[in-house]
Amino acid sequence: MTQASHHIGTGTGTARTDQLLEMYRRMRRIRRFEERASDLYKATEIPGFLHLSIGQEASAVGACWPLGARDGITSTHRGHGHVLAKGLDSASMMAELMGKDAGTCHGRGGSMHIADPGLGIYGANGIVGAGLPIAAGVATAAKLRAAGDVVVAFFGDGAVAQGMFHEAVNLAAVWDLPVVFLCENNHYSEFSPASEQHRAPLSARAAGYGIAYEHVDGNDVLAVAQTMTGVVARLRAGGGPVLVEAETYRWHGHYEGDPERYRPAEEVAAAKERDPLLIARRQLDAAAADAVDEEIDKEIEAAIDWARSLPEPAPETLHDYVSAPRLPVPEPAPLPADAEIFRSMDAVRLALEHELTADPSVFVAGIDVGAGGNVFGLTRGLAQAFPGRVRDTPISESAIVGTAVGAAMAGMKPVVEIMYMDFIGVCLDMLLNQAAKLRFMTGGRASMPLVVRTQFGAGRSSGSQHSQSLEALLAHIPGLTVVMPSNPADTYGLLRAAIQDPNPVVFVENRLQYGLKGPKPPADHLIPLGKAKVIREGTDLTLVSWSRMIQDALAAAELLAGEGISVEVIDLRTISPLDRETVLASLAKTNRLVIAHEAVRDFGVGAELSAMAVDEGFWHLDAPVTRVAPPSVPAPYAPSLEHVWLPSRDTIADTVRRIAAV
């Protein structure tokens, strides 16, 4: 089935009847698909969770009616109707629900995670409200391309309580994005009636954000289509976001198997009298509608038969789609001794400037990165040099990263900034469940070339909420690449490589190094992601570190050289994926391993390196593997405590002496 935009006829003649018949066909496809999915779930042919939208077909079909192939939608965990209405074929979708390799997402997504960006379907989502910031990102891409495309973000009334709702709608309003926030108000947030969840109506919320509001009978497909046709036309003409509320009702429980003790059977029965399909049928010739029913029944049964005949994904494909293949990047030649000197802060700005110039799909966004030039002055002048492509955002971390996710899926290469690494917790869902997983859950359909820049750094009494080194938390998430440079040239080469990479990269700078000076590389300087580097040769012990702690490690190695201890220093550069080969090769040479890092000791990257050493490198060890790191205490504020808490050249040297003597 192909999907194209439509307009509602103004008369009552044949054209209008044909349009209504096609709307009925689409609604009938959704209804029958879900009825049969319910049967298959009960028969255990569909594994996992299943959330059905039976009774809500008109809002899905009517909302997608004026959309073209280039327009986008984001969906919810109850999204079968949305994606079918946007043009996804029922056969591959049924195969996906059955967990088959030929499914829409190769059996990696299932019912709640179906997507096909090629059709403008940017994902159903198991996280309530998560599609809203992603829709803002798709709409940002549409606005930057200025092609007149629009985005519809479906959500339920329960999502209104999510912070992501507020952040996405506010960002869309501030940026005047071409997005329709379409609430399918079925009056229940899981088991709870809407009256117990909210006090303000959506009309008041829209007014509070300064955007337009429309209300429509969500069970009348013609009414929804007419309303949305007008709304979409306004957006194509340059209008800002609109909040549309379609009142409807779901017939089934929150999930299949829901005992539904929270609502009376009489209420459900009364709602069924407003069946969207019956409302449409009353305006159609009965024989024509019956013929559509027969056609769709055959289509869905054929889809089921086909899906049943297919194999599940082969076990050897387990690792497929986690990350996109990286193009090989050679290690650059050493920089000449007489190279120009520059600072790490210059490296960040120059790398961004280079990529913005070279690739029109790159844009930069974050809090005060535009007019203010970043809190540390790193992006000063870029907003003026690249109008519209260096964008200030509200203080809305989830919207910032969600915008990056949506824009990346829509073909852009966003570089967004989270001002402090400590604030990653505010938007962790967008990294943990969206950026890191969407390529995998969509079976490779979703591309995710995005960079999240952030910074950290203890040692200047910034306190417990502005000093944390959280790379272990991020490195534990499959699908994320985590980069932590230690010097200006690496900052430049790694940031450029990260922006060009097809995977989501968290790029972590240390703010205490922004003034660090070093040789300036040539403009084409790139450093391969996932590759550590031996930056000092040695024979007695391997010392592994990263980011600013590398400077202390090198200082300790220099100090110890005067005592006759030869220390080999490795800069990881990329935390995940971890370059195990370089570390193990050095361990085989020196037979001793010490790891130094700024993150707290327990459960950190040092623990992973230690485990690797005693597993894969066990027979090379002549001494215990040891970590030098802060104790498991939040970063202190008082200088006297922070000094004791943070490792230094001397504490690293003391540990190396002890291990080298074993």
Side-chain angles (χ1 to χ4, degrees), residues 116-370:
D116 187 348
L119 293 175
I121 299 168
Y122 293 95
N125 214 297
I127 308 299
V128 173
L132 303 176
I134 293 172
V138 179
T140 299
K143 182 161 186 171
L144 288 172
R145 293 188 179 114
D149 303 336
V150 303
V151 184
V152 176
F154 290 97
F155 65 101
D157 50 283
V160 176
Q162 284 280 358
M164 287 184 285
F165 167 82
H166 162 75
E167 292 191 24
V169 176
N170 187 59
L171 177 71
V174 170
W175 283 3
D176 289 318
L177 296 179
V179 58
V180 182
F181 295 101
L182 194 141
C183 177
E184 293 179 301
N185 185 355
N186 62 27
H187 302 285
Y188 281 91
S189 302
E190 297 193 1
F191 303 162
S192 301
S195 60
E196 296 178 3
Q197 299 286 301
H198 316 288
R199 289 294 178 264
L202 281 174
S203 57
R205 293 177 186 274
Y209 294 114
I211 66 174
Y213 168 82
E214 298 276 357
H215 181 276
V216 67
D217 179 357
N219 284 8
D220 185 337
V221 70
L222 273 176
V224 177
Q226 287 173 330
T227 297
M228 286 295 292
T229 297
V231 167
V232 168
R234 295 204 303 271
L235 265 64
R236 294 201 199 283
V242 180
L243 180 57
V244 175
E245 182 177 12
E247 287 204 62
T248 183
Y249 196 89
R250 59 170 163 84
W251 295 6
H252 284 222
H254 170 59
Y255 57 88
E256 290 302 279
D258 176 2
E260 295 189 72
R261 297 189 181 95
Y262 50 88
R263 61 183 184 180
E266 298 79 18
E267 179 182 298
V268 178
K272 289 182 178 181
E273 295 178 7
R274 291 280 299 159
D275 181 349
L277 274 71
L278 290 179
I279 291 173
R281 273 190 77 109
R282 292 186 191 118
Q283 303 175 65
L284 293 170
D285 175 75
D290 289 344
V292 167
D293 290 352
E294 183 177 355
E295 169 198 336
I296 295 300
D297 287 354
K298 290 179 179 178
E299 174 190 319
I300 300 304
E301 293 309 310
I304 293 170
D305 291 342
W306 178 73
R308 278 176 171 154
S309 71
L310 299 170
E312 294 183 359
E316 58 268 22
T317 68
L318 173 64
H319 296 276
D320 291 359
Y321 311 117
V322 176
S323 296
R326 289 194 160 99
L327 293 176
V329 174
E331 185 69 36
L335 299 178
D338 60 349
E340 180 184 349
I341 300 300
F342 79 149
R343 302 167 298 177
S344 289
M345 63 188 301
D346 304 321
V348 172
R349 180 180 55 79
L350 289 171
L352 293 173
E353 183 178 52
H354 189 288
E355 295 306 309
L356 283 162
T357 301
D359 190 343
S361 68
V362 174
F363 73 92
V364 175
I367 301 163
D368 294 327
V369 302

Side-chain angles (χ1 to χ4, degrees), residues 52-65:
L52 302 181
S53 62
I54 292 175
Q56 301 181 185
E57 295 86 355
S59 58
V61 170
C64 291
W65 186 254

Side-chain angles (χ1 to χ4, degrees), residues 467-529:
S467 302
Q468 296 168 90
S469 188
L470 300 173
E471 64 270 22
L473 185 152
L474 298 171
H476 192 67
I477 301 171
L480 281 187
T481 295
V482 182
V483 178
M484 299 181 75
S486 67
N487 61 69
D490 282 7
T491 298
Y492 178 84
L494 286 167
L495 182 52
R496 285 195 58 228
I499 296 170
Q500 295 179 20
D501 197 70
N503 296 293
V505 179
V506 182
F507 192 89
V508 186
E509 303 146 15
N510 189 299
R511 65 178 172 275
L512 273 65
Q513 292 204 133
Y514 283 145
L516 179 68
K517 295 179 180 179
K520 182 179 179 181
D524 62 354
H525 188 68
L526 282 175
I527 292 178
L529 301 182

